[in-house]
């Protein structure tokens, strides 16, 4: 038997989706997608992420504790590099990033 997880009446299909539903944070917006994105797509995503992060910080400073915690989580996500993306950029056998 499989356990099903619901957040706000919507079934989460995995851990990432659960976090997105529970925290209200689009992980890919801040971390970046696991698949390839063009330089223009990355720039647009990063601009949007900066705007959302600024809004969350402002809401947190205005007293919204949840928004404050979401801002910390979103900011931490911007400092991560998905393993698969990092592995693709690694030069085989040299120990250096491509």
């Amino acid at each position: 038997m499989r356990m099903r997880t619901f957040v706000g009446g919507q079934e989460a299909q995995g851990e990432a989706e659960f976090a997105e539903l529970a925290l209200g944070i689009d992980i890919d917006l801040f971390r970046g997608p696991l698949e390839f994105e063009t330089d223009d797509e990355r720039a647009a995503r990063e601009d949007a992420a900066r705007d959302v992060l600024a809004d969350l910080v402002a809401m947190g400073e205005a007293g919204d504790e949840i928004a404050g915690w979401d801002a910390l989580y979103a900011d931490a996500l911007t400092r991560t590099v998905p393993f698969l993306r990092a592995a693709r950029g690694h030069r085989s056998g040299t120990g250096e990033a491509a």
Side-chain angles (χ1 to χ4, degrees):
M1 175 181 274
R2 182 180 91 109
M3 185 171 169
R4 296 168 43 182
T5 305
F6 290 86
V7 177
Q10 186 171 345
E11 184 176 4
Q13 298 299 318
E15 290 179 25
E17 188 173 0
F18 174 79
E20 288 175 23
L21 292 170
L23 299 173
I25 298 288
D26 179 351
I27 294 171
D28 284 346
L29 177 64
F30 295 98
R31 177 201 61 201
L34 295 178
E35 60 275 344
F36 175 80
E37 66 181 344
T38 66
D39 290 341
D40 288 341
E41 290 169 333
R42 182 173 37 262
R45 177 184 54 74
E46 289 174 350
D47 284 345
R50 274 190 292 277
D51 289 345
V52 171
L53 183 56
D55 288 345
L56 289 170
V57 168
M59 290 169 27
E61 290 173 349
D64 184 337
E65 186 177 351
I66 301 299
W69 284 108
D70 285 349
L72 291 173
Y73 179 59
D75 185 55
L77 286 171
T78 65
R79 295 170 185 8
T80 64
V81 177
F83 177 74
L84 294 175
R85 208 170 61 209
R88 279 189 217 115
H90 192 272
R91 290 186 201 156
S92 179
T94 65
E96 298 176 9

